[in-house]
Amino acid sequence: MTGILPNKPRIEDDRTGIDIDTLKRAFLDNLFYIQAKFPKVSTKNDYYMALAYTVRDRLLNRWLHTNQTYLERAPRIVAYLSAEFLMGPHLGNNLIDLGLYEPVKQAIAELGLDLNELLEQEEEPGLGNGGLGRLAACYIDSLATLEIPSVAYGIRYEYGIFDQEIKDGWQVEVTDRWLRYGNPWEVVRPESELMVKFGGHTETFIDEYGVYRVQWVPYKVVKGVPYDTPILGFKTNTANTLRLWKAEAPESFDFAVFNQGDYFGAVHQKSESENITKVLYPNDETYQGKQLRLEQQYFFVSCSLQDMIRLAKMQGVALERFHEHFAIQLNDTHPTIAIAELMRLLLDEHGFDWDRAWDITTKTFAYTNHTLLPEALERWSVAMLGGLLPRHLELIYEINSRFLDEVRIKFFEDPDRIARMSIIDESGERYVRMAHLACVGSYAINGVAELHSRLLKQTVLHDFYEMYPEKFVNVTNGVTPRRFIALSNPRLTSLITSKIGDGWLKNLGELRKLESLVDDAGFRNDFYQVKQAVKQDLADYVRANHGVEINPESIYDIQAKRIHEYKRQHLNALYIITLYNRLKANPSLDIAPRTFLFGGKAAPGYYMAKLIVKLINSIADVTNSDPDVGDRIKVVFLTDYNVKFAQRVYPAANLSEQISTAGKEASGTGNMKFSMNGALTIGTLDGANVEIREAVGAENFFLFGMTAEEVLAKKAEGYNPWDYYHGNDELKGVLDRIASGFFSHGDTELFKPLLDSLLYQDIFMVLADYQSYVECQERVDGAFRDRDNWTRMSILNAARMGHFSSDRSIRDYLSQIWKAPAVKIDVPEYSQSNG
Ligand code: Z15
């Protein structure tokens, strides 16, 4: 539809101008014409919306020119497939990326409003659980910043991760109605809808050329509608797209035909279709095996692949060359059904033969593994998968049979391998092992930190490593400094920029220039003052929201992450009780005052995690009101930890708790965000902690606990937690204190499941690491008392974290896996194009 219409609309100056007066006029204009309000009757949310639209207007030129450039030039595109994108609020980030933060702040102030209050209004899109979803968000930020043509595909959950409330110390989940007031950042594209089939059966036939073919006759069809959100690069013209799919009932499948007069049946079928994208599954790292989850995965994968094929066709790219046009990254196994789906599309819908289709497929996909925990590995029962996706099950069997032939040839003397490596687990009820399918169907397999990638090759994927050593690479995770330094910590950002200029936000390695300033007493004092000011902000927040007074002079000791036994929030809790017991025994004990802050959600069905939340809150009740403790210990469980709140938390920390059992945390990314903001880490040699410690220097990192090798060895020799309980009086005192009902109003049953799990199994070896942890915390206590030296260590942490920018991670993906060149986007001056 081009015809005589000019390619560019006349663009009103009020939609692009960035001088203060234009921004003010544009804001009032949007308030009137979009929110339909006068200032007199406007709510804070109206003001937020007016500002969001003002900013959106100013990014549309970049977005449309980027899309047009990609359409015309048909560059190689990175497609990032993820069931989760934990984006966090868009407004502040977009202001930073556009370089509009300061002028907008001023314009808003001149209108008598406060930018921070408007930023606070935004309901964040919490379309992820934790690290994996947030990593995807950091990666698309860096892809845009590095000007890499890319598209991110996912699911537009109507309800994201639940909101957490705490009632009587227990977690209570509340529905996340994030779309309640509308979403100014997305654009729905109903004209680009696609259809996705489910269920039914397959039929064979001989086509017009006499070729044997299969067709899938589905039981139902669901419509996928794309919702697009622009993802800006930092100070570039590139604005890539996050395309999230919403499920709807297809009106073309005329209900009247299928349900003659069955009105209720028709409405029911409609709501069943829409159910697919209703809600995010709230478990992090535990696989549940629910059919609806498989429906979600297949739904968004099928929409995304059809979308890519449609784009390639539009650009005149032959499907034979699909793999040259797209590199598809599978974020964990969640989108792995894509391997079978691309085969189906090429074979059944585009007439390819097997060998050509398999060649294209295995040159297209790359797989990122994010965990070694067996409970997280996805396996779909053959019965369920075959019922929902009958054609895909056939294809998976065929892929498997050809794959196992290769295994037989390569390892002809080792028949056990066949059973171990098969995509189908046949040890009991039959399951499809999605990680195996991902390994077979991908040209690259990566772990997310050096240790994790090594352990992957040695343990979970050992057989696959022996089969395909050349596929295995490491890409250590990273995080975006735009959101987690510039936006989260404006004070630190101005201090750094005043010393080393502003190049560091695009090239985080430049932070190293701060190292030489560590000997400058004036700079140390400025750095210290920044940290104190941010700590005061958090104290104000905690007073207002939790009614607890915390002391900015105390150590802010923070553990913020999903609640999980392997992350060992309960080890932290045992240390708090240790200190408490010491203070009770010796009320004049001299310790550095500490504020223990926890934040994080427990999966609603994860009983032990919820009990840990209750334990922390129960300890807080006692310590925060015991006069013997006074101001020396405060414990606060920060409710409803999410991206928005995380941005307040990272900058305020002195000590970052990264205390998972070695070998269990694949990487961790919160560890990086804390350290960049000048927190010191207390941690095990797990995940990316290993590399962070190497980067910041062992003398600036508090290390404790067993190594991954020692953990495995101890397990092999037969670990008995009782030995530690009986061998350590202080530990025994702590566990006995909990057992006595001291923290539970005399109830000796409440925490028994937790104590039993520690004393009878302790699969995460909390008791084995306890003594080492306590001693390490004593070193922390000592170090904090030397304020100036602590500040030195803190500066060196921030200065040496350049390696952990997600820009570096994306460069690693590009050079090792994707090989997609950058494309510069031109945005012609509006004044010229508009005459
Ligand atoms: C998740 O958040 C992570 C791994 C998973 O397998 C699932 Cl299902 C969710 C996390 C890892 O636990 C964490 O160590 C890592 O930093 C993060 O993914 C991003 O790679």
Side-chain angles (χ1 to χ4, degrees):
M1 289 288 282
T2 42
I4 58 159
L5 290 176
N7 196 22
K8 294 188 178 62
R10 208 184 84 81
I11 293 161
E12 303 297 334
D13 181 63
D14 277 12
R15 295 201 156 178
T16 59
I18 56 170
D19 59 287
I20 306 294
D21 284 339
T22 309
L23 288 170
K24 284 158 72 176
R25 206 166 52 241
F27 174 86
L28 293 172
D29 189 78
N30 282 328
L31 185 66
F32 188 90
Y33 284 104
I34 296 189
Q35 285 308 100
K37 289 278 185 89
F38 291 118
K40 237 194 163 87
V41 292
S42 296
T43 63
K44 257 188 211 155
N45 191 60
D46 292 325
Y47 289 133
Y48 158 72
M49 293 292 275
L51 179 56
Y53 282 110
T54 305
V55 173
R56 198 184 102 162
D57 289 340
R58 279 151 186 77
L59 62 76
L60 278 179
N61 254 301
R62 285 177 171 80
W63 196 21
L64 299 189
H65 280 97
T66 303
N67 285 335
Q68 197 177 343
T69 305
Y70 294 169
L71 197 63
E72 287 166 3
R73 307 245 303 259
R76 180 161 167 82
I77 292 179
V78 175
Y80 200 85
L81 262 60
S82 179
E84 304 188 10
F85 288 92
L86 189 43
M87 298 303 294
H90 289 292
L91 175 57
N93 198 247
N94 286 341
L95 286 173
I96 300 256
D97 287 342
L98 294 168
L100 286 181
Y101 198 94
E102 288 306 324
V104 162
K105 188 174 172 182
Q106 189 187 331
I108 293 298
E110 288 183 16
L111 291 166
L113 298 166
D114 175 11
L115 177 59
N116 282 328
E117 278 186 33
L118 303 194
L119 291 172
E120 200 47 45
Q121 283 300 306
E122 182 169 350
E123 186 96 47
E124 75 174 67
L127 309 185
N129 275 284
L132 171 142
R134 182 54 234 178
L135 187 78
C138 286
Y139 281 2
I140 62 181
D141 173 297
S142 287
L143 279 162
T145 297
L146 298 176
E147 304 176 305
I148 306 303
S150 70
V151 54
Y153 284 113
I155 300 172
R156 183 177 177 276
Y157 301 107
E158 187 175 338
Y159 305 115
I161 188 66
F162 62 86
D163 293 338
Q164 181 190 55
E165 292 181 1
I166 299 293
K167 296 225 162 90
D168 186 29
W170 294 97
Q171 169 177 296
V172 175
E173 300 89 22
V174 178
T175 330
D176 165 48
R177 293 162 54 196
W178 71 288
L179 290 166
R180 194 168 13 176
Y181 301 115
N183 174 4
W185 304 106
E186 67 183 9
V187 179
V188 58
R189 307 284 189 195
E191 72 280 13
S192 299
E193 68 182 37
L194 290 165
M195 296 299 165
V196 179
K197 303 180 221 181
F198 288 97
H201 64 275
T202 63
E203 290 171 358
T204 56
F205 66 102
I206 306 291
D207 74 7
E208 52 201 304
Y209 307 105
V211 178
Y212 174 90
R213 302 277 297 273
V214 179
Q215 83 173 344
W216 175 14
V217 183
Y219 163 75
K220 69 169 177 183
V221 175
V222 175
K223 184 168 81 182
V225 181
Y227 285 69
D228 290 350
T229 300
I231 304 299
L232 294 173
F234 177 63
K235 294 188 178 169
T236 69
N237 287 331
T238 300
N240 287 329
T241 296
L242 168 63
R243 174 161 276 196
L244 301 179
W245 300 97
K246 176 180 193 282
E248 290 184 9
E251 49 286 308
S252 60
F253 265 66
D254 192 350
F255 291 129
V257 176
F258 289 105
N259 310 287
Q260 292 289 338
D262 181 6
Y263 176 75
F264 282 93
V267 172
H268 176 72
Q269 192 175 322
K270 179 168 153 60
S271 71
E272 275 217 330
S273 299
E274 292 178 353
N275 263 344
I276 293 180
T277 54
K278 232 351 122 190
V279 58
L280 167 75
Y281 277 93
N283 340 294
D284 199 55
E285 310 212 52
T286 26
Y287 158 76
Q288 260 200 323
K290 286 275 185 287
Q291 172 159 326
L292 182 59
R293 168 79 172 183
L294 180 58
E295 290 175 18
Q296 291 184 336
Q297 294 180 350
Y298 178 65
F299 167 75
F300 98 88
V301 156
S302 178
C303 288
S304 308
L305 284 173
Q306 292 184 61
D307 199 43
M308 285 181 251
I309 289 175
R310 177 169 63 187
L311 176 67
K313 290 205 146 175
M314 211 150 57
Q315 294 172 318
V317 175
L319 276 188
E320 282 78 13
R321 304 178 51 184
F322 185 81
H323 57 287
E324 293 171 21
H325 201 51
F326 289 104
I328 304 183
Q329 193 65 31
L330 302 172
N331 196 25
D332 215 306
T333 54
H334 315 146
T336 293
I337 194 67
I339 289 167
E341 174 69 354
L342 183 58
M343 286 299 286
R344 184 188 72 81
L345 290 166
L346 293 174
L347 291 169
D348 298 354
E349 312 229 324
H350 297 279
F352 282 68
D353 64 39
W354 184 278
D355 289 337
R356 279 207 306 165
W358 186 242
D359 185 56
I360 293 167
T361 298
T362 52
K363 287 176 173 161
T364 297
F365 291 103
Y367 158 56
T368 304
N369 174 287
H370 293 266
T371 188
L372 303 167
L373 295 185
E375 63 267 35
L377 299 180
E378 291 190 298
R379 32 209 269 301
W380 296 107
S381 93
V382 163
M384 185 197 292
L385 197 143
L388 196 66
L389 305 170
R391 179 57 178 146
H392 297 76
L393 184 59
E394 293 173 2
L395 293 170
I396 289 169
Y397 274 131
E398 182 65 22
I399 292 168
N400 196 37
S401 129
R402 290 168 184 248
F403 164 65
L404 293 179
D405 284 346
E406 285 178 39
V407 176
R408 262 179 223 105
I409 288 166
K410 182 147 184 172
F411 302 102
F412 59 101
E413 282 169 314
D414 191 356
D416 281 359
R417 240 175 236 271
I418 301 296
R420 287 205 310 268
M421 294 184 77
S422 173
I423 296 172
I424 311 297
D425 176 351
E426 309 204 49
S427 56
E429 192 201 336
R430 278 144 71 218
Y431 288 97
V432 180
R433 298 158 161 162
M434 298 310 274
H436 293 206
L437 178 58
C439 289
V440 175
S442 300
Y443 67 91
I445 302 164
N446 77 284
V448 291
E450 278 168 13
L451 172 69
H452 169 65
S453 294
R454 179 158 59 77
L455 293 172
L456 258 188
K457 293 193 276 189
Q458 287 170 2
T459 62
V460 177
L461 298 182
H462 179 69
D463 290 327
F464 288 89
Y465 176 59
E466 290 190 330
M467 179 89 190
Y468 309 117
E470 71 290 349
K471 289 191 186 184
F472 281 76
V473 291
N474 172 247
V475 181
T476 298
N477 283 169
V479 303
T480 171
R482 273 75 63 179
R483 183 175 292 272
F484 291 107
I485 306 179
L487 180 59
S488 304
N489 201 343
R491 288 190 182 86
L492 182 62
T493 301
S494 335
L495 175 62
I496 295 174
T497 299
S498 74
K499 297 293 176 187
I500 66 170
D502 62 3
W504 58 278
L505 276 169
K506 245 199 209 298
N507 182 7
L508 204 65
E510 290 182 21
L511 283 179
R512 218 167 251 291
K513 296 180 190 163
L514 294 174
E515 266 190 43
S516 57
L517 293 166
V518 79
D519 292 320
D520 172 343
F523 180 71
R524 287 202 304 276
N525 187 54
D526 291 346
F527 194 93
Y528 173 80
Q529 296 302 340
V530 163
K531 183 62 87 177
Q532 287 311 110
V534 176
K535 288 172 75 179
Q536 183 64 57
D537 289 348
L538 188 62
D540 295 342
Y541 178 93
V542 170
R543 184 188 312 109
N545 292 275
H546 294 269
V548 181
E549 197 65 48
I550 64 174
N551 174 11
E553 301 291 324
S554 65
I555 308 176
Y556 280 18
D557 174 338
I558 310 187
Q559 189 167 17
K561 50 182 80 235
R562 288 298 291 250
I563 312 294
H564 205 297
E565 286 163 285
Y566 86 80
K567 296 179 189 280
R568 302 199 292 192
Q569 280 91 355
H570 46 341
L571 175 58
N572 191 342
L574 296 189
Y575 177 64
I576 301 174
I577 299 172
T578 304
L579 272 186
Y580 179 74
N581 283 351
R582 288 182 185 176
L583 287 173
K584 294 302 276 186
N586 175 8
S588 63
L589 187 71
D590 181 27
I591 62 165
R594 257 204 226 226
T595 305
F596 293 93
L597 298 165
F598 293 84
K601 294 173 184 176
Y606 187 171
Y607 173 73
M608 206 59 89
K610 289 183 141 179
L611 196 55
I612 291 172
V613 172
K614 173 69 174 167
L615 174 65
I616 293 165
N617 282 308
S618 304
I619 295 170
D621 284 345
V622 170
T623 55
N624 295 359
S625 61
D626 186 333
D628 285 346
V629 173
D631 272 348
R632 286 174 294 178
I633 300 182
K634 281 274 167 5
V635 181
V636 183
F637 188 92
L638 301 162
T639 310
D640 200 30
Y641 184 69
N642 57 13
V643 176
K644 199 188 205 176
F645 186 46
Q647 292 172 197
R648 294 177 179 271
V649 168
Y650 295 122
N654 296 120
L655 188 68
S656 153
E657 297 271 352
Q658 306 300 337
I659 62 177
S660 50
T661 315
K664 302 296 180 191
E665 188 70 274
S667 164
T669 43
N671 47 4
M672 302 168 187
K673 297 164 195 168
F674 277 113
S675 179
M676 277 178 193
N677 283 280
L680 304 195
T681 302
I682 181 167
T684 48
L685 283 178
D686 199 13
N689 294 354
V690 178
E691 291 154 80
I692 292 174
R693 179 167 171 268
E694 277 164 17
V696 304
E699 65 286 6
N700 302 307
F701 187 106
F702 295 97
L703 177 68
F704 77 97
M706 292 183 286
T707 62
E709 284 70 24
E710 287 165 350
V711 167
L712 291 176
K714 184 160 292 285
K715 196 177 163 187
E717 86 193 20
Y719 169 58
N720 185 359
W722 279 101
D723 298 344
Y724 291 88
Y725 174 77
H726 289 300
N728 185 330
D729 286 346
E730 194 160 42
L731 172 59
K732 182 169 183 303
V734 167
L735 296 172
D736 290 351
R737 175 82 79 182
I738 301 172
S740 74
F742 186 85
F743 298 109
S744 41
H745 308 283
D747 182 346
T748 54
E749 289 300 305
L750 181 60
F751 296 119
K752 199 160 183 299
L754 186 54
L755 292 166
D756 284 350
S757 122
L758 288 177
L759 288 167
Y760 294 95
Q761 294 149 79
D762 194 17
I763 53 173
F764 298 112
M765 301 201 179
V766 174
L767 303 199
D769 272 345
Y770 168 83
Q771 188 58 33
S772 170
Y773 182 59
V774 169
E775 286 166 15
C776 192
Q777 286 287 24
E778 282 162 10
R779 298 202 297 278
V780 170
D781 181 290
F784 193 75
R785 292 161 191 248
D786 183 347
R787 176 203 278 191
D788 199 40
N789 192 52
W790 184 279
T791 301
R792 271 175 185 278
M793 296 195 287
S794 170
I795 292 169
L796 290 176
N797 264 263
R800 295 173 176 172
M801 285 299 289
H803 184 67
F804 300 93
S805 166
S806 44
D807 298 348
R808 189 272 312 147
S809 308
I810 291 301
R811 286 199 186 92
D812 286 354
Y813 276 101
L814 285 166
S815 65
Q816 300 187 80
I817 302 177
W818 299 331
K819 321 255 186 217
V823 171
K824 285 253 179 276
I825 307 298
D826 282 331
V827 178
E829 286 304 320
Y830 321 117
S831 50
Q832 289 167 12
S833 63
N834 292 320

